[in-house]
Amino acid sequence: MANIIEYAILNANKDFKTLPFSKIDGLIFAQLSYLNFDGIVPEIASQSQGVSLSEIAEHPDYNSLFPLPRTAENNKMLLNALAYSKRYGNILVNYYQNILDNENDIQFSAVTFITDPDHAYIAFRGTDSTIIGWKENFNMLFTSPVGSQKLSVPYVEKVASKFNGEITLIGHSKGGNLAIYSGVMCSDDIKGKISEILCFDNPGFTEEFINSEKYLKNERKIVKFVPEESMIGMILNNRGSYRVIKSHGIGFFQHDPFMWQIENNDFVSGSRVFTRALIIDDTFNDLVYGFEPHQRELFVESLFNIIAETNGQNAATFGQWAVNLKGNIPTMIDTLKDLDPDTRALMLKVLKHLFSTANGNMIATPKRILRGKIKKIPRIPAIEL
């Protein structure tokens, strides 16, 4: 089975008239949003027409596009496959915005891909490896909207004001959440330009948001994909249908877009979300419903305070922080002991709740599956090579 790199290579000589934009192209744009375009792609305030993927691949600061060693090799292969092809090489990349605000717990990034004068694709970056990025994710447990959701709306409205054609919103992981949020919350005149919202294994929302009139009016535009072991895309509240696809990955690594299986220019359909993944999702969701918002907030703040106490090297990412994890464990335990009694009691209560609900979900989740609660959207017709 192919992946997105091989898909790009196989279709290198087919322009978007020969082979129309597909959901796989959407996943490719979502993955490209993780690249560090600082100083390479014009910012949102610029009046530039953008820079092509082929020009980006030849930029003197090419290597700065790939700051994370773990993903650098795949991202380089993907960009090179795109940049030197008829299909993708002339795509313009524009309106880059990248914000990392430690004080306000915000990790936000978005970029726009323009395939022709009539079609633009806004891609929101998912959670990167930064500690602040994960802190913002946890903030979704007790507050809505979070900072990146607030920033997503003006970004879409600014791009739409500069572009007269049709717009598709795209995102993987948290990026998919931002694509939905911005598409639902932007002004009505901007909504008229948005044709579709493509989401790839993204977390959901509060129950209040997905039951709101604004969400329900725009739900038909949302197309969601999750792998069989989705551990992100089923978190929090989700409405509507989704398509289950196969991945080469195991467990959490199924979340990686490079692992998603492709055949005949279509994702390979899976049967259902696996039980073991739903057990994890149910356990996480039980944390949301098992505690009041102020309790969840206290838990998250205390958890990241403990991480901060052990971050003497001022690591920006969890990878950097984890280098000293073994030596930090005693400090983490001491920090937990030093919490005031009420906070410490809550931390232990939440952890106990997580373990107990995980055990209960081992029994409850298979029963839920048998009741046929999982919904899927029909297989999207394949386009033959």
Side-chain angles (χ1 to χ4, degrees), residues 186-237:
C186 65
S187 60
D188 289 341
D189 58 328
I190 301 301
K191 285 187 177 76
K193 292 185 175 184
I194 298 171
S195 61
E196 195 170 42
I197 304 173
L198 298 181
C199 309
F200 302 98
D201 206 28
N202 62 285
F205 297 87
T206 63
E207 190 170 358
E208 179 183 11
F209 181 81
I210 64 170
N211 288 324
S212 67
E213 183 179 357
K214 286 187 176 182
Y215 181 91
L216 295 175
K217 281 185 176 180
N218 293 276
E219 187 177 15
R220 61 179 178 79
K221 295 182 179 180
I222 300 171
V223 180
K224 179 170 179 173
F225 297 82
V226 298
E228 291 174 316
E229 292 193 68
S230 175
M231 296 182 187
I232 300 295
M234 308 304 291
I235 290 174
L236 298 177
N237 294 282

Side-chain angles (χ1 to χ4, degrees), residues 12 23 84 97 101 114-115 147 158 170 179 190 251-252 257 262 285 315:
K23 304 300 187 287
Y84 303 108
Q97 187 171 25
D101 184 343
I114 303 172
T115 57
K158 286 178 184 177
I170 298 171
I190 301 301
F252 183 78
I262 298 167
N285 288 335

Side-chain angles (χ1 to χ4, degrees), residues 154-189:
Y155 178 87
V156 168
E157 294 186 336
K158 286 178 184 177
V159 171
S161 69
K162 297 169 179 281
F163 187 77
N164 294 323
E166 187 177 274
I167 294 174
T168 298
L169 306 182
I170 298 171
H172 167 258
S173 195
K174 184 179 79 172
N177 179 284
L178 300 182
I180 294 174
Y181 187 86
S182 59
V184 168
M185 300 303 292
C186 65
S187 60
D188 289 341
D189 58 328

Side-chain angles (χ1 to χ4, degrees), residues 16 63 83 85 111 128 182 204 212 223 225 239 244 251 261 268 270 272 274 322 335 343 361:
F16 286 96
N63 286 322
S85 71
V111 67
D128 56 21
S182 59
S212 67
V223 180
F225 297 82
R239 280 184 57 92
V244 180
Q261 297 182 20
V268 178
R272 58 178 175 79
F274 290 166
T335 304
T343 303
N361 287 334

